Amino acid sequence: MAAVDTDAPEITEEQFVAEATEFLEANAKRKTERREFVWGQGPDNAALFEEVDREAERQDLAAAKEWRAKKFDAGYGWITGPSELGGSGLPRKFERLWMQLEGQFDTPDGGFFGIGLGMVAPTILAHANPEVSSELLPRMYRADVVGCQLFSEPGAGSDLASLQMRADRDGEEWILNGQKVWTSGAHYSDVGEVIARTDFDLPKHQGLTGFIVDMDAPGVDVRPLRQMTGGANFNEVYFNDVRVLDSHRLGDVNQGWGVALTTLMNERASIGGGGAGGAGGFTKLAAMAQHFGVDDDALTRQKLMNVYTYGKVLSWSNQRTMDGLHAGRTPGPEMSLAKMGLIRQMGAMCDFVSDTLELRLVADTGEWGTFSWAGYVLGFPAMRIAGGSDEVMRNIVGERVLGLPKEPGIDTTSPFRELKVGTQRSE
């Protein structure tokens, strides 16, 4: 399906489904009908983060790139994107239709592109100059270029505005020096979105600037970080006199906080909308309770229903949010609610499996459906930090959604602080 001509008659949903189905039938295999879950049968893997060796990862990435290029060339790689940038220029309803259809077929994992297309690409579209957008976005959606996000630093995670990585101007270039940490996919990414400090004399939220950097540029050093799960999904990245053209700046100089917010809102929407297992996860937990003979225990049943209830509320909240996005609204602070809801459900799942499995969770007996959950429980703390810690999410919701007073901080003015400093005790 070629990019849509604005002068041509609008394609109908029926036409779209027919053409998309024909493409999928010709290029992928339909999934076999899913069998009903039975305890002890099928794969025994509950880890939150897939721990794969680098060679297997390279092979999976190559297959994912090939599939993405194929569907982009057919007009299904960026369905809502502007036609002048290689997109199909169709309304969001067609993207939903495509996702439903593609989900019926076995296709390579597209998780490699989640950060680049879900967070970095929307920021480029909103803040990059037209030449860079025209150069990068078609290549990103075709998977010729993979993107990553470089925000957190060892001393600036939840308080992102405290970052110290610096960018100094040198004519039509910027020189970047500093360190970033917890960067997913940096080792296979081609470009990265980075926020650096360009003016140390301004208040911390006002002296930041965003850039798109070449991850293969001289001075970029990517090092894997080993996690307590045993894998190395994240990286730390060092910048040593890395040069970036001013044309690859995102937004205005010292206005990088707004650029960062664009990315963060999309990030929280991606994380919160991912779900923690849905109905399938609940089914497995219910089978676990039955297998170990605790399904009649009142406390166990209550914990199991907590998982189900939190999941239902999360799905309804996400549906409302996604309806707003499909209607054209940009992601806002309400995205933090999705992240908070996901964490609550995941925490309930961790509580349930810990109490049900007990020592089986920490000692590998070889029994199906037991020790494999250790990867889930050990991975959960990372999810509480990714995209903003629980505490930061609560502050955002309280201040920007509920309208509560801003929490006093070292960089904010507090009436209580003024009272303490500006008054003299009479006694």
Side-chain angles (χ1 to χ4, degrees), residues 216-281:
D216 293 322
V220 178
D221 182 14
V222 179
R223 305 178 188 177
L225 283 173
R226 187 69 56 185
Q227 303 146 220
M228 64 181 176
T229 58
N233 296 85
F234 307 115
N235 305 272
E236 55 185 344
V237 184
Y238 292 85
F239 291 79
N240 182 24
D241 290 338
V242 177
R243 289 185 171 269
V244 180
L245 291 173
D246 183 60
S247 60
H248 283 65
R249 171 169 40 86
L250 294 169
D252 295 331
V253 176
N254 296 331
Q255 299 299 311
W257 185 246
V259 174
L261 289 180
T262 299
T263 307
L264 291 173
M265 291 304 102
N266 282 285
E267 178 182 29
R268 287 157 192 167
S270 298
I271 294 175

Side-chain angles (χ1 to χ4, degrees), residues 241-399:
D241 290 338
V242 177
R243 289 185 171 269
V244 180
L245 291 173
D246 183 60
S247 60
H248 283 65
R249 171 169 40 86
L250 294 169
D252 295 331
V253 176
N254 296 331
Q255 299 299 311
W257 185 246
V259 174
L261 289 180
T262 299
T263 307
L264 291 173
M265 291 304 102
N266 282 285
E267 178 182 29
R268 287 157 192 167
S270 298
I271 294 175
F282 175 79
T283 300
K284 292 180 180 179
L285 296 186
M288 179 189 294
Q290 186 175 26
H291 177 78
F292 290 108
V294 294
D295 51 317
D296 288 332
D297 178 72
L299 289 178
T300 299
R301 293 170 69 90
Q302 180 61 50
K303 291 172 183 175
L304 186 59
M305 287 312 300
N306 284 343
V307 174
Y308 181 83
T309 303
Y310 295 153
K312 270 295 183 183
V313 172
L314 176 62
S315 66
W316 292 333
S317 178
N318 285 341
Q319 185 60 56
R320 179 178 59 185
T321 299
M322 295 311 296
D323 287 344
L325 295 178
H326 294 152
R329 292 197 293 270
T330 56
E334 71 277 0
M335 295 296 97
S336 299
L337 285 170
K339 171 76 181 345
M340 290 169 59
L342 174 66
I343 294 305
R344 191 164 191 180
Q345 187 200 22
M346 294 177 72
M349 292 179 70
C350 288
D351 289 342
F352 178 86
V353 298
S354 298
D355 292 342
T356 303
L357 297 177
E358 297 178 320
L359 292 178
R360 302 179 189 89
L361 187 65
V362 295
D364 189 1
T365 63
E367 185 178 1
W368 192 96
T370 57
F371 185 71
S372 60
W373 281 93
Y376 191 98
V377 175
L378 291 175
F380 175 59
M383 293 300 298
R384 296 186 61 181
I385 299 171
S389 68
D390 295 354
E391 294 78 11
V392 169
M393 295 298 99
R394 293 190 185 101
N395 278 351
I396 290 173
V397 171
E399 295 167 9

Side-chain angles (χ1 to χ4, degrees), residues 1-4 16 68 71-92 94-95 98 117 121-122 124-126 133-134 136-142:
M1 185 183 70
V4 172
F16 180 87
R68 178 137 206 110
K71 69 179 183 180
F72 181 89
D73 292 343
Y76 302 109
W78 193 11
I79 291 172
T80 61
S83 57
E84 64 271 17
L85 295 178
S88 296
L90 293 173
R92 289 186 180 272
F94 290 98
E95 185 174 44
W98 167 260
L117 301 184
I124 292 175
L125 185 62
S133 295
S134 299
L136 279 180
L137 289 178
R139 298 173 65 203
M140 290 182 72
Y141 279 96
R142 195 179 185 275

Side-chain angles (χ1 to χ4, degrees), residues 17 20-22 24-25 27-34 67 96-108:
V17 168
T21 301
E22 182 180 359
L24 288 165
E25 292 280 9
N27 293 279
K29 293 183 179 180
R30 279 193 178 272
K31 292 180 178 178
T32 57
E33 188 173 343
R34 182 176 295 179
W67 171 247
R96 294 198 297 273
L97 286 172
W98 167 260
M99 293 175 64
Q100 293 169 2
L101 292 170
E102 188 181 27
Q104 300 171 22
F105 291 79
D106 278 320
T107 59

